[in-house]
Amino acid sequence: MGIWLSGILLAVGILLTFTRFERLKNIASELAAGVLLATLPFLVAFTHQPLLVFAAATHVWLILLPARLIFGRLEPEFLLKSTWRNSILGALIAAFLCTLQIGQPEGYRPLVIITCLTLSIALGVYFFGQIWKNTRRYKITPSSKMPALRDLPTVSVCIPARNEDHALTECLQSVIASDYPKLEVIVLDDCSQDATSDIVRSFAQDGVRFIQGDVPATGWLGKNQARQTLAEHATGQYIIFLDVDTHIGPYTVSHVVEYAMAQRLAMVSVLPQNRLTPGVATACATLDYFWRLVLPISPSQTPVSSSFWLISADKLRSLGSFASASRKIMPEESFAVRLRQTNAYRFLVNDPSLAITTAKRWSSQIESAIRYNYPRARRQPYVTFAICTGLAVLGVAPFLGLAACLILGLTGPVMWLSLAASSLLLIDYFVVVRRVRPKSWFVDGWFLPLVLLQEITAQVSSMLQYEFAEVTWKGRNVCYPVVAPKPDDRQPLRLL
């Protein structure tokens, strides 16, 4: 009953969002949140019932919706459509779960658990098939013929750097050791407060060009503006964008360029290997690399690596360069999606012939996850809710179920299904980790349950920070460029 009452108040708040009655909108939204908060304890009191656990989680999700109206950080038209969609979907799910709970006969709980574990097993089998297929699809095939020196294209390696004096020297040393004969190296200092600019200038005798960056313009993310400036200064026919924590081998550029030319590709990105020894940064690494190897490719989504990617300079300009994606957290992803439609893009996983490695600290990995997660979820709370529910039910629950059975000494279908689901997920994770973290894979693989919980926390944290706080990167708040309205979004609302 409380959900329906709050739904009415929330609808009033939505309708008042685009009127002059700002105070009335806030009152309606606050009342909706209050009703939901007042009714939440009734659900929490019965969370020993499996279905009501999800009903309570849905209830919390619904509380976020009036809070979004009160804060009003998103563009008005998007906020209206998003809140309508989330509120209707959330109310239907909560009502369905509560109705199902009331109408269930005694003893339904094992059936729910067995169903979830069976789905988890099916997911583990699907992931294994995806890994088997994608590790071959994302493997580089050597070129049969090396182009003559005069036919080799010029290449610009562009490195945006902000407060990177801890890693920049080794990165530049790996780049200038490249055997590629037609290579220029450009580094942009993005308003650093440390010795980054001094380090870049110290490599001037090795041919490294230094560019001083500017404060980001309105509507631009700092890194995107830095890349745009680098692209404007680059003279190469191909441009390689490289992160500072990424190292390349002597033959990396040659092999990637040869592959792009042989396959007639306009863009190639490579997922690097982690060169760190076992530690927190590897054991508690985010699932970012894992998802890129197990998720299917779709017309709107394709795997891409931000650490190392090559693109034709002409093609980059024809795509509108970074000006066409100035507010996107991962502009390279939008380029890859468009180029894949013409089979001009390929994603690769590092192998010994490429020798591309990275060493990102655990704190940096978490910051990156928070920065990327909510934009990838299309700034929709229901997408975040679905991701977290899936991770909890299909990922964490089998491990918890197996642990409970072992501790209590229980045997039966639940124990064996939990063991099968946990084993399949562990095998999938070990196979991926063996490929991307070869130095620490045997230790890291056992931390999967903890990593799954970390992933849920990062998803929720990303949503809350984008909606109600701020997300920073290198000391800059990236929320406003991501969630602020575009100039052409400030149009009268069309309800139909």
Side-chain angles (χ1 to χ4, degrees), residues 72-349:
R73 298 185 65 180
L74 305 178
E75 55 264 29
E77 188 164 356
F78 175 84
L79 183 62
L80 170 74
K81 294 178 181 178
S82 174
T83 307
W84 269 120
R85 189 179 297 123
N86 277 268
S87 57
I88 293 172
L89 184 60
L92 289 175
I93 292 175
F96 172 76
L97 290 172
C98 290
T99 303
L100 198 63
Q101 170 67 29
I102 294 172
Q104 282 293 336
E106 190 68 25
Y108 77 96
R109 191 183 305 175
L111 179 61
V112 173
I113 295 173
I114 288 173
T115 301
C116 292
L117 290 173
T118 303
L119 291 174
S120 182
I121 292 172
L123 183 67
V125 173
Y126 173 75
F127 280 171
F128 188 82
Q130 283 290 108
I131 295 168
W132 182 270
K133 178 175 64 176
N134 288 339
T135 51
R136 285 154 180 77
R137 174 189 294 172
Y138 302 149
K139 184 178 180 180
I140 189 170
T141 53
S143 175
S144 60
K145 184 179 179 181
M146 174 71 173
L149 178 61
R150 65 177 180 275
D151 298 326
L152 285 175
T154 53
V155 176
S156 300
V157 176
C158 295
I159 306 173
R162 177 173 167 82
N163 300 332
E164 302 283 6
D165 60 359
H166 63 284
L168 185 56
T169 299
E170 292 181 355
C171 174
L172 288 175
Q173 287 174 343
S174 75
V175 174
I176 62 177
S178 172
D179 73 331
Y180 198 79
K182 298 182 178 181
L183 189 71
E184 72 169 351
V185 184
I186 313 173
V187 181
L188 182 141
D189 176 23
D190 190 9
C191 305
S192 299
Q193 288 88 44
D194 59 11
T196 294
S197 60
D198 296 331
I199 293 174
V200 179
R201 290 189 177 96
S202 70
F203 281 87
Q205 70 273 14
D206 297 303
V208 176
R209 291 170 54 195
F210 170 80
I211 299 175
Q212 181 61 58
D214 297 320
V215 176
T218 302
W220 279 82
L221 289 173
K223 191 170 184 178
N224 291 350
Q225 180 171 294
R227 287 171 169 174
Q228 174 66 25
T229 303
L230 285 165
E232 292 170 354
H233 284 80
T235 61
Q237 295 168 267
Y238 285 97
I239 301 175
I240 292 175
F241 290 98
L242 190 69
D243 282 353
V244 173
D245 54 20
T246 303
H247 295 177
I248 65 175
Y251 311 108
T252 300
V253 177
S254 299
H255 287 170
V256 174
V257 170
E258 290 167 19
Y259 177 77
M261 294 178 66
Q263 301 293 326
R264 299 184 178 181
L265 301 172
M267 180 177 175
V268 177
S269 70
V270 183
L271 190 70
Q273 287 182 339
N274 194 310
R275 62 179 178 272
L276 293 175
T277 54
V280 175
T282 60
C284 297
T286 61
L287 291 174
D288 187 34
Y289 285 11
F290 180 81
W291 297 132
R292 298 185 204 188
L293 286 175
V294 303
L295 292 180
I297 296 174
S298 68
S300 61
Q301 179 178 323
T302 187
V304 66
S305 171
S306 301
S307 301
F308 180 104
W309 56 287
L310 170 145
I311 189 168
S312 162
D314 290 339
K315 185 59 68 173
L316 179 63
R317 286 189 287 269
S318 70
L319 293 172
S321 197
F322 292 92
S324 65
S326 60
R327 306 193 315 158
K328 290 185 178 296
I329 291 292
M330 290 186 68
E332 58 273 20
E333 189 172 47
S334 65
F335 300 150
V337 168
R338 283 184 278 174
L339 290 173
R340 183 182 168 273
Q341 296 172 359
T342 58
N343 200 31
Y345 166 72
R346 202 67 51 83
F347 174 75
L348 302 173
V349 177

